[in-house]
Every structure is written in C-alpha cells, then in structure tokens.
Amino acid sequence: MFLTLGTDLSGVGAPASDFGFLLHKNPERPQAIDVTGGSAHVFYPEATAERCTAAVLLEIDPIGLVRAGRGKAAEGFTLGQYVNDRPYAASSLLAVALGKLFRTAMNGRCDARPELAARAIPLNVHVPALPCNGGTELAERLFGPLGWAVDARPVPLDPEVPAWGDSRYVDLRLSGVLRLADALKHLYVMLPVLDDAKHYWVGSDEVDKLVRAGEGWLAAHPDKDLISRRYLAHRRYLADAALERLAEADGIALPDESSEEDGVAFAAEPTVSLAVERRTTVAGVLRELGARRIADLGCGEGALVGELLKDPMIGELIATDVSARALISAKRRLHYDDLPDRQRERLSFLQSSVTYADERLAGLDAVVLMEVVEHVDPPRLPALADSVFRAARPAAVVMTTPNSEYNIRFPTLPAGNYRHPDHRFEWTREEFRTWSTQTADRYGYQVDFRPVGSDDPEVGPPTQLALFRREEAN
C-alpha cells in the first residue's frame, strides 16, 4: 500500500526541502521500520527547493500478519486470511505505520523549524487505493469540513471491462493549507474510518488514541458520531466516552452533541457541554457540603471521579460500578497506575451494585448518584433507596437525573422516546420531587432541589438535582 505527502513551501518563504525537517526524515536517506506483519518505508521521490514529496510504502506479508494474530479476515473462509487486500489497499495498517513513522511530527514538534511546524502550509496527499465503505461521497463528507479540497474517484473493478462497474476502492487526492500535525492526525483517524475496519482488537485504550488525535477538530466535525463509531469498531459505549471527552477538552458542545447520558441533539446555540456542567455542579455541591469522604456510585468511566480528584481537600474517593469493564476503563482514563502515590492512596475502585447493601460504603460524608437512577428498573427503586439511605446512610446524597419535560427541546428525539436506550424511565420535575420527598421522609433526610443547565421557564432545566442531608447530621 502506498501514500504520498507533498508540499510547496514557496508561499511561506522556505525551501520545500525543509519538509524533511518537519517529518523528521532525511530526504537523502530512505528509512524503514518494522510493523505488524511487515515493514514501512519512507523515501522522497522529489526533494528540491521548489517541491518536496515524501512517500510511504507499506509492505505487508499476509502470512506474517496471520501468524501475529492480526490477519483474520471477515470474508468467512479460511483462505481469506491470506488472500485479501491488506498488502495493496490503505487501511488501519497504514494508519498505524503513519503513527510510528511520524509520531513527533504528529505531535507538532520540530526543534529545527519550530515556526514552520506551527504554521499552516500547502499540502497534497495522494492515496491511490483506499477502501471506502460509503464511496466518494463519504470521503468528501469526512475530509471537506477539515479544510481539504477533496478529489475522490472510484476505482473500476476492471478498466478493460467497464460493465463490471466500480470497486469499493477510491483514488483519493487531498489538497489544502493546514498544519502538518493536523494533516497527519486527519489521516491517522480517517483511513480506518473510511475502510470501516481495523486489523486489531479495539478496547478502551483506543478511546485515548482517538481523543489525542481528534482534539481540536473532531468534536466540531458534523460527522463526529459516525467517525467515532467506526474508529471504535461500533462499540457504542466507547464512542460515547470518546465524544464526551472530546467535548470536555474543547470546552463546548455543538448542537448535535451526543453522549451516553444525553443521546440527542441540543436545540440551543453552542454552549458549555451539559455533561461538563453537570460534573461541575455536582463537584460544587460537594465542596459546599465540605465532604471529605465521597463515593461515586455508578461511576462509569470515571468522568466525575477525575473532576473530584482535582480537589485536594477530598481525602477519600471511592468509585463504584456494577460493571468490571467500566471500572477498568475508569482506571485507564484516569491513568491510575501513573498517578502519584498520594493520589492513588485517596482513590479506590469497588465493584458494587447500587441496589444491594454494601458495608464498605457505610458512614461516608457524601454519596453521588449522577445519572444513575434512570438506569434502574422501577421495581428495584425501593432496593436502591434502602441500600443508599439506610445501609450506607451517608451524611448527604447528591442525585441527578434527566428532566423528561425538557425532552421536547431536543429536535432529534422522537416524541415519547428516552434520551438513551438504556434508560428505564425519565421523571418529570413533579415525579422526581415526589419520589425524593417520600424517600427523604422515610429515611430521615431533608431534601432540596436545584437545576443543572439553563432553567427553561416553560419546561425547566435539562437535568434536575436533589440534595439530601441526613437530619441528625445537620
């Protein structure tokens, strides 16, 4: 498989041969590295003061790929592991090779030409054979919003037999004025997305890769849902986590933002992400309470835990979830193994169900149920209340849940549907107040209510929060 990346730097007052500095690859010396199932080569077909082009040639040995455990094909027959398009067509194999060959350039570093690395420069990319599940139109949809001029042409099955029609491959040419680091990140993400396949197992660590490569552009892309879903092998829980982290990193939520908690489009103008605002509000309530020993029940991938770790006044933080996979993802997201010893000592992870009493959670300053209760079947709600308010009996409980009245403000949410397919119910403001008040009375707590997000005068806020305080603790 083959890819070229070229430039003409005359418009920025530099010789085109400086491109070699940006790529950290000397035009006078071809280089090669070993990759899974083969080797990747970099050489320069042209390197003059006027024009410089770097070529990446990826040689894949199908037998070596199978022996490495990466060659199982989806064709449904054994020979398909050995006879396929991997040696010839751009795919995730090429994306991985680009990441290894140009890691420093992808990070935007060039000590020899730092001012050039920071500038947008004219670039041309050519990928002669790119598997494209969606055709030329999808290639234009994905690269066009990023500032590329896209020339995607279908590759015929056989040029000598036009009646056979086009293959699933396109001949892709891109041109634009972009930072080299951004261009490499676009290719790193989009090559496997267009192919809609990866040659290796996709787990939670792939979320970190997508967030790093997509920071600054993916959260604002009109097809970010499709990109995230395909890059993460259609594992929705991973795609949701990636989109939430990207929105948080960029500090905004565009109108079509979606996540596991709010899988619908916002009607308002771009604003602070509701997921971020929710975590910020909950963290503020915990600071107001002066809570020092806190448990996040149903922590998911640890978004709130990461926010609370920033507060040095919190002495003990317990992250619990019924899903062992979620706890593993939370540890990875928080880089738990790399935390300083003092931070690790403050944080612990427990597999526990919110509907069963757990003595390890007894007597804390505060327990948080953030976007958890709506995932519990209604007949199990009394068990949830008993395990939290009687068995654990913390000094305070902070609970948030969607306000179903606000759902009419989401233009893409069909009437009567919940915000997420795993929601068992969604309460109106009155229903939430009734359940919370009855629960507080039954277990000896006082409760007050607060909005999270913009408080619409007609339908209320998108998220509603209840703060329970144990009466004898006041």
mmCIF file of all heavy atoms in Angstrom, residues 221-255:
data_model
loop_
_atom_site.group_PDB
_atom_site.id
_atom_site.type_symbol
_atom_site.label_atom_id
_atom_site.label_comp_id
_atom_site.label_asym_id
_atom_site.label_seq_id
_atom_site.Cartn_x
_atom_site.Cartn_y
_atom_site.Cartn_z
ATOM 1 N N HIS A 221 -16.735 18.314 14.222
ATOM 2 C CA HIS A 221 -16.989 17.735 12.904
ATOM 3 C C HIS A 221 -18.463 17.331 12.787
ATOM 4 O O HIS A 221 -19.007 16.702 13.695
ATOM 5 C CB HIS A 221 -16.100 16.517 12.674
ATOM 6 C CG HIS A 221 -15.993 16.110 11.243
ATOM 7 N ND1 HIS A 221 -17.035 15.552 10.538
ATOM 8 C CD2 HIS A 221 -14.958 16.192 10.360
ATOM 9 C CE1 HIS A 221 -16.659 15.307 9.302
ATOM 10 N NE2 HIS A 221 -15.394 15.681 9.166
ATOM 11 N N PRO A 222 -19.138 17.665 11.697
ATOM 12 C CA PRO A 222 -20.566 17.305 11.579
ATOM 13 C C PRO A 222 -20.822 15.807 11.574
ATOM 14 O O PRO A 222 -21.944 15.384 11.870
ATOM 15 C CB PRO A 222 -20.978 17.951 10.243
ATOM 16 C CG PRO A 222 -19.707 18.241 9.514
ATOM 17 C CD PRO A 222 -18.671 18.480 10.559
ATOM 18 N N ASP A 223 -19.823 15.002 11.240
ATOM 19 C CA ASP A 223 -19.991 13.546 11.253
ATOM 20 C C ASP A 223 -19.189 12.897 12.377
ATOM 21 O O ASP A 223 -18.730 11.764 12.253
ATOM 22 C CB ASP A 223 -19.567 12.954 9.908
ATOM 23 C CG ASP A 223 -20.637 13.093 8.848
ATOM 24 O OD1 ASP A 223 -21.758 12.615 9.079
ATOM 25 O OD2 ASP A 223 -20.361 13.707 7.804
ATOM 26 N N LYS A 224 -19.046 13.597 13.494
ATOM 27 C CA LYS A 224 -18.226 13.068 14.584
ATOM 28 C C LYS A 224 -18.784 11.762 15.150
ATOM 29 O O LYS A 224 -18.025 10.900 15.581
ATOM 30 C CB LYS A 224 -18.092 14.103 15.702
ATOM 31 C CG LYS A 224 -19.384 14.476 16.411
ATOM 32 C CD LYS A 224 -19.085 15.495 17.501
ATOM 33 C CE LYS A 224 -20.342 15.883 18.271
ATOM 34 N NZ LYS A 224 -21.315 16.584 17.424
ATOM 35 N N ASP A 225 -20.111 11.604 15.143
ATOM 36 C CA ASP A 225 -20.689 10.361 15.652
ATOM 37 C C ASP A 225 -20.275 9.181 14.779
ATOM 38 O O ASP A 225 -19.862 8.133 15.284
ATOM 39 C CB ASP A 225 -22.215 10.465 15.704
ATOM 40 C CG ASP A 225 -22.692 11.400 16.784
ATOM 41 O OD1 ASP A 225 -22.116 11.365 17.880
ATOM 42 O OD2 ASP A 225 -23.631 12.174 16.549
ATOM 43 N N LEU A 226 -20.399 9.344 13.471
ATOM 44 C CA LEU A 226 -20.016 8.271 12.556
ATOM 45 C C LEU A 226 -18.529 7.977 12.670
ATOM 46 O O LEU A 226 -18.113 6.810 12.699
ATOM 47 C CB LEU A 226 -20.390 8.668 11.132
ATOM 48 C CG LEU A 226 -20.073 7.666 10.017
ATOM 49 C CD1 LEU A 226 -21.139 7.705 8.937
ATOM 50 C CD2 LEU A 226 -18.703 7.947 9.392
ATOM 51 N N ILE A 227 -17.707 9.020 12.728
ATOM 52 C CA ILE A 227 -16.259 8.833 12.819
ATOM 53 C C ILE A 227 -15.903 8.069 14.088
ATOM 54 O O ILE A 227 -15.134 7.094 14.056
ATOM 55 C CB ILE A 227 -15.545 10.198 12.780
ATOM 56 C CG1 ILE A 227 -15.740 10.863 11.419
ATOM 57 C CG2 ILE A 227 -14.059 10.043 13.100
ATOM 58 C CD1 ILE A 227 -15.317 12.320 11.381
ATOM 59 N N SER A 228 -16.450 8.485 15.218
ATOM 60 C CA SER A 228 -16.137 7.828 16.487
ATOM 61 C C SER A 228 -16.622 6.390 16.495
ATOM 62 O O SER A 228 -15.928 5.481 16.964
ATOM 63 C CB SER A 228 -16.772 8.607 17.651
ATOM 64 O OG SER A 228 -16.314 9.920 17.681
ATOM 65 N N ARG A 229 -17.814 6.177 15.977
ATOM 66 C CA ARG A 229 -18.386 4.833 15.975
ATOM 67 C C ARG A 229 -17.539 3.884 15.128
ATOM 68 O O ARG A 229 -17.223 2.773 15.537
ATOM 69 C CB ARG A 229 -19.818 4.912 15.452
ATOM 70 C CG ARG A 229 -20.754 3.885 16.025
ATOM 71 C CD ARG A 229 -22.216 4.220 15.782
ATOM 72 N NE ARG A 229 -22.493 4.605 14.411
ATOM 73 C CZ ARG A 229 -22.956 5.795 14.050
ATOM 74 N NH1 ARG A 229 -23.167 6.724 14.956
ATOM 75 N NH2 ARG A 229 -23.206 6.076 12.792
ATOM 76 N N ARG A 230 -17.175 4.326 13.936
ATOM 77 C CA ARG A 230 -16.381 3.454 13.063
ATOM 78 C C ARG A 230 -14.969 3.259 13.607
ATOM 79 O O ARG A 230 -14.436 2.144 13.559
ATOM 80 C CB ARG A 230 -16.319 4.048 11.649
ATOM 81 C CG ARG A 230 -17.597 3.872 10.833
ATOM 82 C CD ARG A 230 -17.341 4.236 9.384
ATOM 83 N NE ARG A 230 -18.473 3.913 8.531
ATOM 84 C CZ ARG A 230 -18.411 3.864 7.203
ATOM 85 N NH1 ARG A 230 -17.251 4.124 6.596
ATOM 86 N NH2 ARG A 230 -19.467 3.572 6.480
ATOM 87 N N TYR A 231 -14.347 4.322 14.085
ATOM 88 C CA TYR A 231 -12.980 4.196 14.594
ATOM 89 C C TYR A 231 -12.929 3.214 15.754
ATOM 90 O O TYR A 231 -11.948 2.482 15.923
ATOM 91 C CB TYR A 231 -12.460 5.557 15.039
ATOM 92 C CG TYR A 231 -11.006 5.543 15.451
ATOM 93 C CD1 TYR A 231 -10.003 5.752 14.519
ATOM 94 C CD2 TYR A 231 -10.635 5.308 16.775
ATOM 95 C CE1 TYR A 231 -8.660 5.718 14.884
ATOM 96 C CE2 TYR A 231 -9.302 5.271 17.150
ATOM 97 C CZ TYR A 231 -8.324 5.482 16.201
ATOM 98 O OH TYR A 231 -7.006 5.436 16.575
ATOM 99 N N LEU A 232 -13.987 3.193 16.556
ATOM 100 C CA LEU A 232 -14.030 2.329 17.738
ATOM 101 C C LEU A 232 -14.848 1.070 17.491
ATOM 102 O O LEU A 232 -15.434 0.503 18.409
ATOM 103 C CB LEU A 232 -14.580 3.121 18.932
ATOM 104 C CG LEU A 232 -13.655 4.271 19.351
ATOM 105 C CD1 LEU A 232 -14.380 5.247 20.265
ATOM 106 C CD2 LEU A 232 -12.401 3.750 20.015
ATOM 107 N N ALA A 233 -14.867 0.630 16.228
ATOM 108 C CA ALA A 233 -15.425 -0.672 15.842
ATOM 109 C C ALA A 233 -16.876 -0.841 16.269
ATOM 110 O O ALA A 233 -17.301 -1.925 16.650
ATOM 111 C CB ALA A 233 -14.564 -1.813 16.403
ATOM 112 N N HIS A 234 -17.635 0.262 16.208
ATOM 113 C CA HIS A 234 -19.064 0.256 16.503
ATOM 114 C C HIS A 234 -19.375 -0.173 17.936
ATOM 115 O O HIS A 234 -20.475 -0.664 18.205
ATOM 116 C CB HIS A 234 -19.815 -0.639 15.509
ATOM 117 C CG HIS A 234 -19.712 -0.156 14.094
ATOM 118 N ND1 HIS A 234 -20.590 0.761 13.556
ATOM 119 C CD2 HIS A 234 -18.806 -0.433 13.113
ATOM 120 C CE1 HIS A 234 -20.251 1.011 12.293
ATOM 121 N NE2 HIS A 234 -19.168 0.305 12.010
ATOM 122 N N ARG A 235 -18.413 0.031 18.841
ATOM 123 C CA ARG A 235 -18.686 -0.204 20.260
ATOM 124 C C ARG A 235 -19.200 1.105 20.843
ATOM 125 O O ARG A 235 -18.442 2.014 21.133
ATOM 126 C CB ARG A 235 -17.416 -0.683 20.972
ATOM 127 C CG ARG A 235 -17.064 -2.121 20.618
ATOM 128 C CD ARG A 235 -15.698 -2.526 21.136
ATOM 129 N NE ARG A 235 -15.484 -3.942 20.990
ATOM 130 C CZ ARG A 235 -15.175 -4.552 19.845
ATOM 131 N NH1 ARG A 235 -15.044 -3.833 18.743
ATOM 132 N NH2 ARG A 235 -15.004 -5.863 19.793
ATOM 133 N N ARG A 236 -20.517 1.176 21.022
ATOM 134 C CA ARG A 236 -21.163 2.450 21.329
ATOM 135 C C ARG A 236 -20.684 3.048 22.652
ATOM 136 O O ARG A 236 -20.508 4.265 22.770
ATOM 137 C CB ARG A 236 -22.692 2.257 21.370
ATOM 138 C CG ARG A 236 -23.480 3.555 21.588
ATOM 139 C CD ARG A 236 -23.109 4.584 20.533
ATOM 140 N NE ARG A 236 -23.666 5.886 20.828
ATOM 141 C CZ ARG A 236 -24.786 6.365 20.292
ATOM 142 N NH1 ARG A 236 -25.464 5.633 19.430
ATOM 143 N NH2 ARG A 236 -25.219 7.554 20.587
ATOM 144 N N TYR A 237 -20.456 2.196 23.644
ATOM 145 C CA TYR A 237 -20.039 2.736 24.936
ATOM 146 C C TYR A 237 -18.672 3.402 24.831
ATOM 147 O O TYR A 237 -18.392 4.389 25.522
ATOM 148 C CB TYR A 237 -20.049 1.642 26.015
ATOM 149 C CG TYR A 237 -18.934 0.635 25.916
ATOM 150 C CD1 TYR A 237 -17.774 0.753 26.686
ATOM 151 C CD2 TYR A 237 -19.043 -0.445 25.059
ATOM 152 C CE1 TYR A 237 -16.766 -0.175 26.593
ATOM 153 C CE2 TYR A 237 -18.024 -1.374 24.969
ATOM 154 C CZ TYR A 237 -16.887 -1.245 25.736
ATOM 155 O OH TYR A 237 -15.875 -2.168 25.642
ATOM 156 N N LEU A 238 -17.810 2.896 23.943
ATOM 157 C CA LEU A 238 -16.511 3.534 23.733
ATOM 158 C C LEU A 238 -16.668 4.837 22.956
ATOM 159 O O LEU A 238 -16.026 5.841 23.282
ATOM 160 C CB LEU A 238 -15.578 2.588 22.978
ATOM 161 C CG LEU A 238 -15.149 1.304 23.683
ATOM 162 C CD1 LEU A 238 -14.259 0.465 22.767
ATOM 163 C CD2 LEU A 238 -14.422 1.606 24.989
ATOM 164 N N ALA A 239 -17.526 4.828 21.938
ATOM 165 C CA ALA A 239 -17.740 6.048 21.151
ATOM 166 C C ALA A 239 -18.334 7.152 22.008
ATOM 167 O O ALA A 239 -17.944 8.325 21.904
ATOM 168 C CB ALA A 239 -18.645 5.748 19.959
ATOM 169 N N ASP A 240 -19.286 6.817 22.878
ATOM 170 C CA ASP A 240 -19.881 7.814 23.770
ATOM 171 C C ASP A 240 -18.827 8.422 24.690
ATOM 172 O O ASP A 240 -18.789 9.640 24.907
ATOM 173 C CB ASP A 240 -20.992 7.171 24.613
ATOM 174 C CG ASP A 240 -22.242 6.857 23.799
ATOM 175 O OD1 ASP A 240 -22.355 7.398 22.688
ATOM 176 O OD2 ASP A 240 -23.076 6.089 24.280
ATOM 177 N N ALA A 241 -17.964 7.558 25.234
ATOM 178 C CA ALA A 241 -16.921 8.061 26.132
ATOM 179 C C ALA A 241 -15.962 8.984 25.388
ATOM 180 O O ALA A 241 -15.553 10.031 25.917
ATOM 181 C CB ALA A 241 -16.155 6.883 26.743
ATOM 182 N N ALA A 242 -15.610 8.628 24.158
ATOM 183 C CA ALA A 242 -14.694 9.461 23.377
ATOM 184 C C ALA A 242 -15.304 10.821 23.075
ATOM 185 O O ALA A 242 -14.643 11.865 23.215
ATOM 186 C CB ALA A 242 -14.319 8.747 22.079
ATOM 187 N N LEU A 243 -16.574 10.847 22.673
ATOM 188 C CA LEU A 243 -17.227 12.119 22.334
ATOM 189 C C LEU A 243 -17.342 13.020 23.548
ATOM 190 O O LEU A 243 -17.148 14.241 23.455
ATOM 191 C CB LEU A 243 -18.608 11.842 21.737
ATOM 192 C CG LEU A 243 -18.606 11.268 20.320
ATOM 193 C CD1 LEU A 243 -19.994 10.784 19.935
ATOM 194 C CD2 LEU A 243 -18.101 12.302 19.320
ATOM 195 N N GLU A 244 -17.639 12.445 24.695
ATOM 196 C CA GLU A 244 -17.744 13.257 25.907
ATOM 197 C C GLU A 244 -16.395 13.864 26.269
ATOM 198 O O GLU A 244 -16.299 15.044 26.623
ATOM 199 C CB GLU A 244 -18.270 12.416 27.061
ATOM 200 C CG GLU A 244 -18.456 13.217 28.341
ATOM 201 C CD GLU A 244 -19.020 12.366 29.469
ATOM 202 O OE1 GLU A 244 -19.585 11.292 29.194
ATOM 203 O OE2 GLU A 244 -18.894 12.796 30.626
ATOM 204 N N ARG A 245 -15.337 13.068 26.151
ATOM 205 C CA ARG A 245 -14.007 13.587 26.489
ATOM 206 C C ARG A 245 -13.548 14.650 25.495
ATOM 207 O O ARG A 245 -12.917 15.631 25.877
ATOM 208 C CB ARG A 245 -13.017 12.432 26.535
ATOM 209 C CG ARG A 245 -13.220 11.512 27.735
ATOM 210 C CD ARG A 245 -12.295 10.325 27.691
ATOM 211 N NE ARG A 245 -10.887 10.711 27.646
ATOM 212 C CZ ARG A 245 -9.896 9.847 27.546
ATOM 213 N NH1 ARG A 245 -10.153 8.548 27.467
ATOM 214 N NH2 ARG A 245 -8.644 10.264 27.515
ATOM 215 N N LEU A 246 -13.883 14.475 24.225
ATOM 216 C CA LEU A 246 -13.520 15.478 23.231
ATOM 217 C C LEU A 246 -14.257 16.782 23.466
ATOM 218 O O LEU A 246 -13.686 17.866 23.366
ATOM 219 C CB LEU A 246 -13.818 14.949 21.822
ATOM 220 C CG LEU A 246 -12.862 13.879 21.304
ATOM 221 C CD1 LEU A 246 -13.475 13.134 20.131
ATOM 222 C CD2 LEU A 246 -11.534 14.496 20.905
ATOM 223 N N ALA A 247 -15.555 16.685 23.787
ATOM 224 C CA ALA A 247 -16.324 17.894 24.063
ATOM 225 C C ALA A 247 -15.783 18.607 25.290
ATOM 226 O O ALA A 247 -15.698 19.838 25.327
ATOM 227 C CB ALA A 247 -17.797 17.535 24.265
ATOM 228 N N GLU A 248 -15.389 17.836 26.301
ATOM 229 C CA GLU A 248 -14.837 18.440 27.513
ATOM 230 C C GLU A 248 -13.504 19.112 27.225
ATOM 231 O O GLU A 248 -13.230 20.220 27.699
ATOM 232 C CB GLU A 248 -14.654 17.364 28.573
ATOM 233 C CG GLU A 248 -14.094 17.887 29.890
ATOM 234 C CD GLU A 248 -13.952 16.800 30.942
ATOM 235 O OE1 GLU A 248 -14.315 15.649 30.648
ATOM 236 O OE2 GLU A 248 -13.481 17.110 32.036
ATOM 237 N N ALA A 249 -12.660 18.466 26.402
ATOM 238 C CA ALA A 249 -11.359 19.039 26.086
ATOM 239 C C ALA A 249 -11.493 20.338 25.318
ATOM 240 O O ALA A 249 -10.746 21.298 25.520
ATOM 241 C CB ALA A 249 -10.523 18.041 25.286
ATOM 242 N N ASP A 250 -12.486 20.391 24.398
ATOM 243 C CA ASP A 250 -12.682 21.599 23.601
ATOM 244 C C ASP A 250 -13.511 22.639 24.328
ATOM 245 O O ASP A 250 -13.605 23.787 23.899
ATOM 246 C CB ASP A 250 -13.352 21.250 22.274
ATOM 247 C CG ASP A 250 -12.403 20.484 21.352
ATOM 248 O OD1 ASP A 250 -11.222 20.360 21.714
ATOM 249 O OD2 ASP A 250 -12.835 20.037 20.293
ATOM 250 N N GLY A 251 -14.189 22.255 25.413
ATOM 251 C CA GLY A 251 -14.921 23.213 26.234
ATOM 252 C C GLY A 251 -16.265 23.622 25.696
ATOM 253 O O GLY A 251 -16.897 24.535 26.219
ATOM 254 N N ILE A 252 -16.745 22.969 24.615
ATOM 255 C CA ILE A 252 -18.051 23.326 24.075
ATOM 256 C C ILE A 252 -18.807 22.067 23.718
ATOM 257 O O ILE A 252 -18.244 20.993 23.572
ATOM 258 C CB ILE A 252 -17.943 24.212 22.815
ATOM 259 C CG1 ILE A 252 -17.213 23.458 21.688
ATOM 260 C CG2 ILE A 252 -17.268 25.523 23.109
ATOM 261 C CD1 ILE A 252 -17.275 24.139 20.350
ATOM 262 N N ALA A 253 -20.093 22.224 23.532
ATOM 263 C CA ALA A 253 -20.927 21.166 22.991
ATOM 264 C C ALA A 253 -21.673 21.754 21.810
ATOM 265 O O ALA A 253 -22.473 22.657 21.980
ATOM 266 C CB ALA A 253 -21.918 20.643 24.037
ATOM 267 N N LEU A 254 -21.407 21.246 20.621
ATOM 268 C CA LEU A 254 -22.089 21.761 19.453
ATOM 269 C C LEU A 254 -23.517 21.233 19.412
ATOM 270 O O LEU A 254 -23.876 20.312 20.136
ATOM 271 C CB LEU A 254 -21.313 21.368 18.197
ATOM 272 C CG LEU A 254 -19.921 22.013 18.125
ATOM 273 C CD1 LEU A 254 -19.201 21.511 16.892
ATOM 274 C CD2 LEU A 254 -20.016 23.522 18.093
ATOM 275 N N PRO A 255 -24.382 21.790 18.550
ATOM 276 C CA PRO A 255 -25.790 21.444 18.599
ATOM 277 C C PRO A 255 -26.100 19.967 18.450
ATOM 278 O O PRO A 255 -27.109 19.514 18.927
ATOM 279 C CB PRO A 255 -26.380 22.236 17.418
ATOM 280 C CG PRO A 255 -25.486 23.416 17.289
ATOM 281 C CD PRO A 255 -24.118 22.914 17.641
#
